[in-house]
Amino acid sequence: MGKSTIIPFGPQHPVLPEPIHLDLELKDEKVVKAIPSIGYVHRGLEKLVEKRGFQEYVYVAERVCGICSFGHGWGYSKAVEGLMEIEIPKRAEYLRTIWHEISRLHSHLLWAGLGADALGFESLFMQCWRIRETILDIIEQTTGGRVIFSVCKVGGVRRDISDNDLKEIVKRIEKLKKEIDGIAAIFLNDETIHSRLKGVGVVSYDDIVALGAVGPTARASGVPQDYRLGDEGGAYKDLGFTPVLATEGDCFARAKVRLLELYQSIDIIKGCVENMPAGDIAVPVKGFPPAAEYFTRVEQPRGEAVYYVKGNKTKNLERFRLRTPTNANIAVLVKMLQGCDLADVPNIILTIDPCISCCER
Amino acid sequence: MSDMVCNIVSGIVYLILAPVIGGLLAGIDRKISARMQRRVGPPITQPFYDFFKLWDKQPVAVNKAQRFYIRGFLLFAILSGFFFFAHGDLLLVIFTLTIASVCFVIAAYASNSPYSQVGAERELAQTMAYEPMMLLVALGFYLHCGTFDAKAIVQSPAMNFIYMPGIFIGLCYILLIKFRKSPFDLSMSHEVHQELIQGALTEISGPTLAMIELAHWYENVLLLGFVYLFFAWAPIWTPVVGIAMCALTYFSDIVVDNCCSRMKWEHMLSSAWVVTLVAGFANVAFLMYMR
Amino acid sequence: MSYITKSPWLVHYDGSSCNGCDIEVLACLTPLYDVERFGIVNTGNPKHADIFLVTGGVNTQNYPVVKQIYEQIPDPKVVIAVGTCACSGGVFHDCYNMLGGMDKAIPVDVYVPGCAARPESIIDGVVKGLAVLEEKQKAMAIPVREKQALREKELEPGVAVNKSQEAGK
């Protein structure tokens, strides 16, 4: 025994929604070393700030990633508003929060479906995505697009949601809650899923802190790292927020954290709708960004994303830098892959919820 | 009509009808799975469209050995079915089926792709898991009916299942492996998102892939024939019971497929052997005691 | 009867896409849109596929990858470029790393615009691709001598003799 093979995993692979290449050195179906090779989705869009006006660029920022699209639009707008010291109306803040939490719902359900599919559980994949269509309907009716919303802008939001529509959203989400109960019951109680996920890809609290992981990956090992806790002026502060934590640090704990965050998002949306302030949805933006720097953060479904902007008194910003959560989680991924079985490789890759297009921009 | 002519005729009927029945079973499988997932699903004749489409594709083979061994796989799968339905010896049928799986494994090893190699290793692990139970099935029939001959077993005085429930449970468990359904669809899967791409089938395409599909249809009909042996006995109306139980077994395999995720090969091996030991051996011990 | 239009298997690859079009492609398999009722199966293996569904544009790193996947697919095959980025580069067409749409790397048969392309458009694109696939298969089935005769008919009478002599060498 002791045959060593190198399996090239990706960039084209049915289990991966996005191209990432891993050279897996195997010894009898156990991974000894994993060497990642990224760069397939790199478009170089950070340099586009030099060509597109600062207000126009929000549409490019949204297209960093199709799954966390709204979060990127929000982060960029927030950064430029902070740079230009614009204060947006409270209603816009609450609307943005509602859309962002809806985005989190759709992202976690998408992840649940892909995770189930990687385990070979195709019917669970179909059910998760069928439920997700309800959310996509809500998004389409309020913004016009299923995937790319294009409602965030520098200064506020472009569209309003009427009070009737808000009540309708709450009704639909209540109905969705029952269906999520069904999915969560299978995920958390099924024996075959337990045997595949429990004890796989364990990361300790200290490793998470040392490697700098963020998001549900970190929260599943007990690290209470969630930007919504430290939110300065948004709806999260008004509503109060506690992060969902787990302690085991294995794939099952990460799945549990994401499923529980679904319920938390539903509660946040309901809270926002109940306390929705009246008022404008945007303020006019005059002038150009000053020659200064600003950075802000947004808690994306995958973790904390950092947005840095630098202005130079012209229509185009000088620099836009985005540190996405997957950037921070790749180190943890490589650590988890060492010593795992070949059959666990897709599970481990999907457990950090990789968004390679976010990672490479 | 002499016995031998009768046997050969029923063998030839198998040769002609089995691909049709096997293909329809595969189509029904996909349709029922789709309905369970709240989808519409393809038409029942879809596997036949797939087969003819694959036949027309440009052949892209890694090397000639692959095609040779897959032809061997098809040939031995057909032969084992022919022996079975021509009322032959059960033990001969089981061993011919084993030769068929070995041909398939060699074909998968014939290419250098690491996915193919790992898929072939998993296929061998699967063979290790189900072979003991298949042999126990033959042994159980011998102990109960006194013969390996399929025709005599079907004419036995009482339903075979009554004396061999443990062996039947063991057979159902390994049928999940042989029909390539979750939780045991490790080496190759019709569902896409698995870690080995298509596993043992990764480097096989076009007409060769069509031959593998055909071989699986023949094999599935043969396996359902094994289930039939448990439920048909001497009276003339019992084939209905036999066929009904075959349908029920197939349907329950589809249900299990839709309710489970895939297991790792260590679990598959250990659980298959545990079931073989507990259900199979206990039954065989009981039958030996009864003699 | 052309069976290939009744059982088209597709392989999907994400070029430099933002992932929006990819999740819409996967959404086509799910209960609301369900393309399996047309016999379409999303196989992950290029060697088993007939249709190459590609999203995102071509950049310097994935140019050889896209070409390699295209060459692994056996004939007859169809390439469907899904999304504005695959058609022309989209919002990113003037980024430094982008070479352009998918037709810079491989020949594209059907262009499906949209950002992100809706599942309905994708299914429509696939159906149009099936018509192209059927034509390609008919062309494949014509034996070589007939193809030569068809080609000669299009040339001038004097030239045809020389061309066929040259082809025979």
Side-chain angles (χ1 to χ4, degrees):
Chain A
M1 300 286 246
K3 202 176 66 161
S4 199
T5 8
I6 297 200
I7 288 203
F9 195 86
Q12 186 269 325
H13 195 106
V15 109
L16 298 171
E18 297 175 87
I20 177 175
H21 181 77
L22 287 167
D23 274 315
L24 301 171
E25 193 183 311
L26 291 187
K27 240 188 176 101
D28 296 327
E29 282 222 22
K30 258 200 159 25
V31 174
V32 169
K33 215 167 34 168
I35 307 165
S37 166
I38 60 176
Y40 293 94
V41 195
H42 179 61
R43 293 151 285 175
L45 60 82
E46 283 181 359
K47 199 162 156 64
L48 272 188
V49 260
E50 297 171 6
K51 295 189 194 160
R52 309 260 193 277
F54 74 96
Q55 283 176 310
E56 214 186 357
Y57 190 77
V58 74
Y59 300 119
V60 177
E62 283 187 312
R63 286 164 171 80
V64 169
C65 172
I67 310 177
C68 6
S69 153
F70 185 78
H72 289 306
W74 186 12
Y76 172 78
S77 307
K78 212 160 102 163
V80 175
E81 285 153 13
L83 183 64
M84 296 176 68
E85 286 167 12
I86 302 173
E87 180 127 359
I88 63 168
K90 229 20 184 166
R91 189 180 174 92
E93 196 70 49
Y94 273 65
L95 283 173
R96 281 177 175 179
T97 310
I98 290 180
W99 270 312
H100 191 63
E101 292 303 316
I102 292 181
S103 180
R104 189 184 312 270
L105 280 176
H106 116 81
S107 170
H108 282 331
L109 277 175
L110 187 144
W111 173 85
L114 287 182
D117 207 25
L119 289 175
F121 206 150
E122 200 192 44
S123 24
L124 193 54
F125 161 63
M126 296 288 173
Q127 297 299 342
C128 286
W129 281 52
R130 181 182 61 83
I131 298 176
R132 187 177 154 258
E133 292 289 331
T134 323
I135 301 180
L136 292 183
D137 276 342
I138 296 177
I139 296 174
E140 198 179 1
Q141 283 175 327
T142 48
T143 70
R146 279 164 55 102
V147 171
I148 308 276
F149 301 22
S150 292
V151 273
C152 218
K153 69 172 186 181
V154 178
V157 291
R158 283 176 56 223
R159 285 177 190 263
D160 200 357
I161 311 183
S162 70
D163 288 329
N164 276 343
D165 283 341
L166 286 171
K167 289 200 193 62
E168 180 68 30
I169 291 178
V170 173
K171 245 194 300 191
R172 287 194 203 173
I173 289 184
E174 280 297 319
K175 229 167 80 171
L176 188 69
K177 210 171 180 182
K178 294 194 190 65
E179 310 218 32
I180 294 180
D181 285 337
I183 300 269
I186 301 181
F187 244 108
L188 299 175
N189 298 331
D190 187 80
E191 268 310 310
T192 45
I193 291 188
H194 282 196
S195 78
R196 289 302 295 273
L197 290 183
K198 278 204 169 147
V200 173
V202 180
V203 198
S204 66
Y205 184 105
D206 297 319
D207 277 332
I208 293 278
V209 173
L211 295 168
V214 293
T217 315
R219 294 198 278 280
S221 297
V223 178
Q225 206 271 2
D226 191 324
Y227 176 65
R228 291 174 283 176
L229 266 179
D231 184 32
E232 296 104 31
Y236 296 114
K237 185 156 185 216
D238 298 341
L239 297 170
F241 179 81
T242 19
V244 176
L245 291 176
T247 43
E248 301 89 18
D250 59 4
C251 286
F252 188 71
R254 287 184 276 270
K256 203 164 72 168
V257 165
R258 290 194 181 97
L259 289 169
L260 293 176
E261 281 188 0
L262 282 173
Y263 292 110
Q264 191 185 48
S265 291
I266 293 181
D267 288 332
I268 295 178
I269 297 175
K270 285 205 297 215
C272 281
V273 169
E274 274 163 22
N275 302 332
M276 177 68 80
D280 288 328
I281 54 169
V283 289
V285 174
K286 292 189 187 53
F288 294 146
E293 317 171 298
Y294 190 80
F295 90 93
T296 182
R297 292 173 286 169
V298 166
E299 180 71 18
Q300 296 259 8
R302 285 159 183 76
E304 176 194 70
V306 181
Y307 300 83
Y308 163 86
V309 287
K310 182 170 175 187
N312 59 4
K313 294 206 196 126
T314 62
K315 192 176 78 152
N316 301 337
L317 287 173
E318 172 137 351
R319 180 81 172 100
F320 165 64
R321 166 86 170 112
L322 163 57
R323 199 282 331 248
T324 49
T326 311
N327 270 131
N329 288 340
I330 293 253
V332 174
L333 171 67
V334 174
K335 179 162 171 50
M336 279 195 253
L337 281 175
Q338 280 174 347
C340 77
D341 279 333
L342 178 61
D344 290 328
V345 169
N347 296 344
I348 292 179
I349 294 180
L350 283 174
T351 192
I352 64 162
D353 205 356
C355 187
I356 306 296
S357 49
C358 274
C359 178
E360 299 179 6
R361 296 177 299 281
Chain B
M1 245 204 279
S2 77
D3 253 354
M4 184 150 115
V5 174
C6 211
N7 288 345
I8 294 196
V9 164
S10 70
I12 292 183
V13 166
Y14 165 78
L15 281 181
I16 301 175
L17 278 190
V20 175
I21 298 178
L24 283 177
L25 279 176
I28 292 174
D29 172 14
R30 276 169 77 173
K31 188 83 174 176
I32 295 183
S33 294
R35 290 280 165 165
M36 284 186 191
Q37 295 165 4
R38 286 228 206 168
R39 295 184 290 127
V40 172
I44 298 183
T45 46
Q46 187 64 36
F48 297 115
Y49 300 144
D50 290 340
F51 176 79
F52 287 120
K53 176 211 79 167
L54 283 173
W55 203 257
D56 283 335
K57 288 278 276 186
Q58 173 196 32
V60 173
V62 178
N63 54 39
K64 290 211 168 87
Q66 207 180 53
R67 206 158 183 195
F68 173 73
Y69 283 111
I70 296 293
R71 285 201 179 118
F73 173 53
L74 181 61
L75 175 67
F76 283 112
I78 296 180
L79 260 185
S80 54
F82 183 79
F83 287 150
F84 183 82
F85 282 91
H87 301 138
D89 192 319
L90 264 191
L91 220 46
L92 179 61
V93 168
I94 292 177
F95 281 117
T96 320
L97 210 51
T98 312
I99 302 183
S101 340
V102 168
C103 281
F104 178 64
V105 169
I106 300 183
Y109 266 124
S111 82
N112 256 331
S113 148
Y115 291 113
S116 232
Q117 305 267 337
V118 178
E121 278 169 22
R122 286 193 181 176
E123 181 75 29
L124 282 176
Q126 280 182 208
T127 312
M128 249 205 311
Y130 66 65
E131 275 304 319
M133 193 63 226
M134 294 290 280
L135 292 173
L136 278 187
V137 167
L139 183 62
F141 276 122
Y142 178 73
L143 289 175
H144 178 59
C145 308
T147 170
F148 281 120
D149 186 19
K151 186 168 192 176
I153 293 175
V154 166
Q155 297 295 328
S156 65
M159 200 199 281
N160 292 321
F161 174 70
I162 304 178
Y163 290 95
M164 303 166 57
I167 296 186
F168 181 68
I169 293 174
L171 181 66
C172 280
Y173 198 78
I174 61 156
L175 272 183
L176 281 173
I177 306 178
K178 295 231 64 161
F179 282 146
R180 310 197 185 270
K181 301 232 165 284
S182 295
F184 301 131
D185 53 348
L186 292 127
S187 74
M188 53 161 270
S189 171
H190 285 127
E191 295 162 9
V192 150
H193 290 64
Q194 76 149 345
E195 60 267 14
L196 294 185
I197 306 203
Q198 295 280 356
L201 295 183
T202 310
E203 297 291 325
I204 301 178
S205 65
T208 322
L209 193 59
M211 281 197 272
I212 295 184
E213 276 305 307
L214 191 59
H216 281 146
W217 295 346
Y218 275 109
E219 198 182 343
N220 288 352
V221 175
L222 166 60
L223 292 168
L224 286 181
F226 269 101
V227 174
Y228 180 85
L229 284 182
F230 280 90
F231 292 101
W233 72 104
I236 203 144
W237 51 271
T238 53
V240 177
V241 176
I243 294 180
M245 283 312 292
C246 289
L248 188 63
T249 312
Y250 196 67
F251 178 72
S252 56
D253 278 348
I254 299 176
V255 170
V256 171
D257 185 22
N258 273 313
C259 297
C260 287
S261 61
R262 192 178 305 118
M263 280 186 149
K264 294 201 218 179
W265 69 268
E266 296 96 341
H267 289 148
M268 172 196 70
L269 200 53
S270 53
S271 64
W273 279 3
V274 162
V275 170
T276 307
L277 270 172
V278 170
F281 265 117
N283 207 160
V284 164
F286 169 71
L287 285 170
M288 288 186 95
Y289 175 71
M290 291 278 291
R291 269 183 128 212
Chain C
M1 170 151 54
S2 174
Y3 289 101
I4 202 156
T5 53
K6 288 197 186 275
S7 150
W9 289 1
L10 56 87
V11 64
H12 157 248
Y13 179 62
D14 170 352
S16 70
S17 156
C18 75
N19 224 17
C21 294
D22 301 300
I23 56 182
E24 296 292 63
V25 166
L26 282 181
C28 285
L29 300 169
T30 56
L32 190 60
Y33 297 103
D34 192 22
V35 287
E36 206 193 345
R37 55 199 157 115
F38 306 127
I40 300 177
V41 170
N42 182 8
T43 161
N45 189 353
K47 296 202 164 82
H48 293 174
D50 311 302
I51 300 182
F52 188 21
L53 210 65
V54 64
T55 58
V58 179
N59 64 25
T60 45
Q61 188 147 350
N62 71 26
Y63 180 83
V65 176
V66 171
K67 278 191 94 71
Q68 190 180 38
I69 298 178
Y70 177 72
E71 274 149 26
Q72 282 185 339
I73 303 178
D75 281 325
K77 57 190 165 193
V78 154
V79 176
I80 301 182
V82 173
T84 317
C85 289
C87 296
S88 63
V91 196
F92 306 113
H93 69 271
D94 49 357
C95 284
Y96 60 78
N97 201 28
M98 290 287 286
L99 298 171
M102 268 298 154
D103 46 18
K104 296 274 187 297
I106 52 179
V108 174
D109 297 291
V110 182
Y111 295 88
V112 178
C115 185
R118 295 182 62 94
E120 288 96 335
S121 318
I122 298 175
I123 299 179
D124 200 28
V126 171
V127 169
K128 288 202 164 66
L130 289 181
V132 176
L133 200 56
E134 191 163 359
E135 276 173 33
K136 285 195 182 180
Q137 183 166 50
K138 286 206 185 108
M140 239 176 77
I142 302 176
V144 178
R145 238 180 286 142
E146 273 189 37
K147 263 195 210 154
Q148 179 61 29
L150 278 174
R151 267 206 295 273
E152 284 176 19
K153 265 201 218 146
E154 294 167 0
L155 302 170
E156 299 161 13
V159 181
V161 175
N162 287 342
K163 289 271 179 191
S164 65
Q165 278 175 342
E166 269 189 290
K169 281 182 199 159

